[in-house]
Amino acid sequence: MTLGQKIAWDDTVLPFQLDNSDIRGRVARLDGVLDQVLSQHNYPPAVEAAVAEAALLTALIGQTIDLRWKLSLQIRGDGPLRLIATDYYGPTEDGQPARIRAYASYDDQELGPNAPHFDQIGKGFFAILIDQGDDMQPYQGITPLAGGSLATCAGTYFAQSEQLPTRFSLTYGRSQEPGQDASWRAGGVMLQHMPKASPLMAKDGATGEKGLLESGDLLEGEEGENWNRANILLDTVEELELIGPSVAPTDLLTRLFHEEAPLVYDPQPIRFGCTCSEDKVRQSMSIYSAKDIAHMTTDEGTLTADCQFCGSHYVLDPATLGFEAEGADDPLK
């Protein structure tokens, strides 16, 4: 593959459908985006891996949302890796890139040097939130952490909350090409059984960890056979095929599912993007009184704020903040 072809597939999500199996899916490739997400922070290796996995899942799941919507993942636990948060912003217009950002909160003193990143999250939950814009009630779905990976949690979420059999196959890590610096690359495939007119029901109860539903609990007969066949084919994928750059996503689908008649759609480009701004900081401060603002003021006489996603640093004049500032709008009006 030429360099030009490689660049064409980096930082994209390719939707597809397997017509012979009634299954839809996506292939994602992240490299520059993931480097930008992780370069905003100096994370330990386990935290970097957790954020990389969450960002890749977010790209795969977020591709389905409408223009201008926002999809967020939140993974919270009681372990040293306390929080992983991601946001996927749908394109503002058709043909425009989607944007993604992510960050993690953790206790550096408690992180295990060799423990898998999923184990360091502890007991907690995996949540998906969808913001459809002003005047619309946000959607939120939650499932317990279980199964040994964030990818498994995501599959459990769709089985449990949406009654949709879903499978993820992911790989991510640092790679280095001759003569170049090491950089992050990630790739993954998502499979999902097409929804029916009426919700699917578990045939024999839940068989997953902690009594949660799994994809196999939702299908039987020919549908179950089609789903199992597609998953067996996906099991043959190799890590280098997922992350590229030598295998294009279209070629990967042909290799894996040529007998399932894969049909591909237009790829969705993804870019790193943060929505923080000074105006939004001021807006968040508008609920506080002058006394509250004074408590937040530094010894230098300024109020500072840092964006957890992109690291932007804002220095503001306390006299211009809060609902008691001169010229401020009354938030109670």
Side-chain angles (χ1 to χ4, degrees):
M1 178 177 293
T2 67
L3 181 60
Q5 289 174 305
K6 172 189 170 183
I7 292 174
W9 289 112
D10 284 344
D11 299 326
T12 61
V13 179
L14 178 70
F16 67 89
Q17 183 171 320
L18 305 180
D19 276 352
N20 290 348
S21 303
D22 207 22
I23 290 171
R24 63 186 177 187
R26 281 143 244 156
V27 181
R29 294 268 174 86
L30 301 181
D31 71 325
V33 165
L34 197 52
D35 262 337
Q36 285 183 279
V37 166
L38 294 172
S39 67
Q40 311 301 318
H41 309 273
N42 186 25
Y43 290 141
V47 178
E48 280 193 316
V51 173
E53 183 178 8
L56 183 55
L57 286 170
T58 304
L60 286 163
I61 298 169
Q63 191 274 331
T64 60
I65 66 173
D66 289 349
L67 295 177
R68 294 177 292 278
W69 287 14
K70 182 178 78 169
L71 180 140
S72 303
L73 260 61
Q74 286 191 11
I75 300 101
R76 293 182 180 270
D78 61 2
L81 184 45
R82 297 185 292 258
L83 169 68
I84 307 163
T86 67
D87 288 329
Y88 178 104
Y89 295 90
T92 54
E93 303 289 345
D94 286 323
Q96 296 298 307
R99 294 169 295 151
I100 193 170
R101 63 181 189 172
Y103 85 96
S105 175
Y106 60 96
D107 185 339
D108 194 26
Q109 300 301 314
E110 296 295 327
L111 280 175
N114 300 313
H117 62 264
F118 185 82
D119 294 344
Q120 303 201 58
I121 302 172
K123 297 178 181 179
F125 64 82
F126 178 101
I128 292 181
L129 303 89
I130 299 177
D131 183 352
Q132 303 176 46
D134 295 340
D135 303 322
M136 295 294 292
Q137 184 71 23
Y139 166 84
Q140 176 175 291
I142 298 175
T143 190
L145 292 173
S149 71
L150 297 180
T152 303
C153 289
T156 300
Y157 163 84
F158 280 104
Q160 193 76 22
S161 299
E162 308 294 332
Q163 297 277 290
L164 290 175
T166 307
R167 160 84 186 280
F168 296 88
S169 181
L170 312 178
T171 188
Y172 43 88
R174 287 187 174 274
S175 67
Q176 186 168 14
E177 297 182 21
Q180 299 185 15
D181 294 333
S183 61
W184 276 89
R185 290 194 68 86
V189 176
M190 175 182 178
L191 295 181
Q192 190 168 67
H193 199 278
M194 299 286 281
K196 298 301 181 182
S198 58
L200 298 169
M201 297 300 293
K203 59 181 185 292
D204 293 315
T207 62
E209 184 180 332
K210 300 182 180 179
L212 298 170
L213 288 172
E214 292 187 338
S215 295
D217 299 327
L218 301 171
L219 298 172
E220 57 186 355
E222 183 178 357
E223 289 182 341
E225 292 176 3
N226 289 341
W227 178 253
N228 290 336
R229 184 174 65 254
N231 277 268
I232 289 171
L233 294 171
L234 183 55
D235 285 338
T236 66
V237 72
E238 298 178 0
E239 288 190 351
L240 289 179
E241 291 179 314
L242 287 174
I243 63 172
S246 59
V247 180
T250 48
D251 295 335
L252 174 61
L253 292 175
T254 301
R255 290 187 185 189
L256 292 174
F257 305 118
H258 64 278
E259 294 182 357
E260 306 300 314
L263 174 66
V264 299
Y265 300 94
D266 292 336
Q268 172 63 62
I270 302 177
R271 303 290 182 263
F272 171 76
C274 192
T275 60
C276 72
S277 68
E278 182 175 318
D279 285 343
K280 289 188 175 181
V281 175
R282 291 184 176 279
Q283 184 179 3
S284 69
M285 294 288 106
S286 65
I287 63 173
Y288 294 106
S289 67
K291 183 178 179 181
D292 294 328
I293 296 295
H295 284 302
M296 305 178 199
T297 300
T298 67
D299 293 339
E300 289 75 26
T302 62
L303 188 146
T304 63
D306 296 312
C307 177
Q308 295 170 306
F309 286 98
C310 72
S312 293
H313 181 67
Y314 298 96
V315 180
L316 305 173
D317 180 357
T320 66
L321 302 174
F323 62 82
E324 293 179 303
E326 184 177 349
D329 292 331
D330 187 343
L332 300 180
K333 288 182 179 179

